[in-house]
């Protein structure tokens, strides 16, 4: 089965798709650096870089998908307009990007469609012909008359072979029959996946590719050394986060926080390189002096593993660490897609 990918990012979601005899042959991505990244990761796929809301770009994607007889569509439109972290404004133009997914679907009419987004999409509205309509109702209104069966579900990637808790909404859409979810799997812990990697402190490197610690400032290091596994430095009685002038820093309990060894990792966000962002600090190991090791954010290698990427996954040499961290934070855990495709209607 040949497929087309919209809002493809760098193709992380497509990593294991070929296992189910699906070959993504056409892709679209807005941003040039991500499109270039995608081309290097998926050289046999035709990447059309540009804004899908532009008629010329849309028509190029549609024409090529028709020419190649694509019978599968996967779309992961940007979710900032709907996410809890965003302001969730119903008139956010990003909420309307789903229209272009549905426009392509109605004109291409592939056998199966998978649309991924944040869970909030199920309660989000867009404006169509001057009227507010829930995105789910909009999809049903446009696709059900064409014979599609639409199954909107909310899943957690940690239930489907990914050592990371990441809740996503998935629209499983098929012309064959109702597309059901596969059975859940046993959760995989952080300890199972990354405990074997060498311990690293700020700025240290190892012989393992991409297992190199970011450099952090001395203040961050000092209070994280005193922070136990699974805890936030904000709760430290003495060694708590301070500004340069000594003023105590306040924040959410998810910030300046070490992740836990014996659970799946928390959601890896685009800010995964920041100690002060959400749940980004290595779990650490208790040392003889009572402090904790690995006072740092996760390395790229640890993030690759906890995202579910294959051991030999290697980004382009020109890609900066910042870019790599960002695209993974934006990406869809590929094992989640692999598992869901195991029940794709034939």
């Amino acid at each position: 089965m040949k497929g087309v990918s919209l809002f493809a990012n760098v193709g992380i979601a497509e990593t294991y798709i070929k296992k189910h005899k699906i070959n993504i042959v056409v892709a679209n991505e807005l941003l040039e650096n991500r499109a270039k990244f995608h081309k290097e990761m998926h050289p046999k796929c035709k990447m059309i870089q540009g804004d899908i809301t532009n008629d010329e770009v849309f028509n190029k994607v549609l024409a090529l998908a028709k020419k190649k007889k694509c019978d599968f569509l996967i779309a992961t439109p940007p979710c900032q307009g709907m996410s809890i972290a965003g302001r969730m404004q119903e008139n956010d133009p990003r909420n309307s990007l789903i229209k272009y997914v549905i426009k392509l679907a109605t004109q291409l009419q592939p056998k199966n469609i998978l649309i991924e987004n944040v869970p909030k999409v199920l309660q989000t509205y867009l404006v169509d012909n001057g009227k507010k309509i829930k995105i789910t109702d909009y999809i049903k209104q446009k696709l059900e008359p064409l014979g599609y069966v639409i199954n909107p579900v909310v899943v957690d990637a940690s239930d489907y072979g990914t050592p990371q808790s990441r809740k996503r909404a998935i629209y499983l859409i098929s012309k064959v029959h109702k597309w059901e979810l596969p059975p859940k799997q046993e959760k995989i812990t952080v300890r199972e996946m990354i405990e074997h990697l060498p311990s690293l402190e700020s700025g240290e490197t190892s012989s393992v590719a991409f297992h190199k610690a970011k450099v952090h400032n001395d203040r961050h290091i000092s209070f994280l050394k005193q922070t136990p596994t699974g805890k936030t430095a904000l709760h430290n009685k003495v060694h708590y986060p301070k500004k340069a002038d000594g003023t105590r820093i306040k924040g959410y309990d998810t910030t300046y926080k070490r992740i836990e060894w014996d659970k799946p990792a928390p959601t890896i966000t685009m800010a995964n390189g920041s100690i002060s962002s959400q749940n980004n600090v290595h779990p650490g190991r208790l040392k003889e002096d009572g402090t904790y090791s690995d006072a740092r954010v996760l390395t790229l290698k640890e993030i690759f593993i906890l995202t579910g990427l294959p051991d030999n996954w290697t980004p382009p040499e020109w890609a900066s660490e910042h870019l790599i961290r960002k695209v993974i934070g934006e990406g869809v855990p590929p094992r989640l897609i692999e598992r869901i495709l195991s029940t794709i209607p034939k």
Side-chain angles (χ1 to χ4, degrees), residues 321-336:
E321 180 172 342
H322 176 74
L323 175 61
I324 296 166
R325 287 181 179 275
K326 192 168 184 180
V327 299
I328 288 179
E330 288 178 341
V332 186
R335 292 288 184 192
L336 171 62

Side-chain angles (χ1 to χ4, degrees), residues 304-322:
F304 296 171
I305 292 170
L306 296 175
T307 298
L309 289 163
D311 192 54
N312 63 352
W313 194 84
T314 305
E317 287 186 7
W318 56 263
S320 68
E321 180 172 342
H322 176 74

Side-chain angles (χ1 to χ4, degrees), residues 5-9 28-30 52 74-78 97-98 100-101:
S5 174
L6 299 185
F7 309 99
N9 191 2
N28 169 250
E29 166 55 40
L30 171 65
I52 196 69
I74 180 170
T76 57
L97 290 172
I98 194 74
Y100 295 89
V101 177

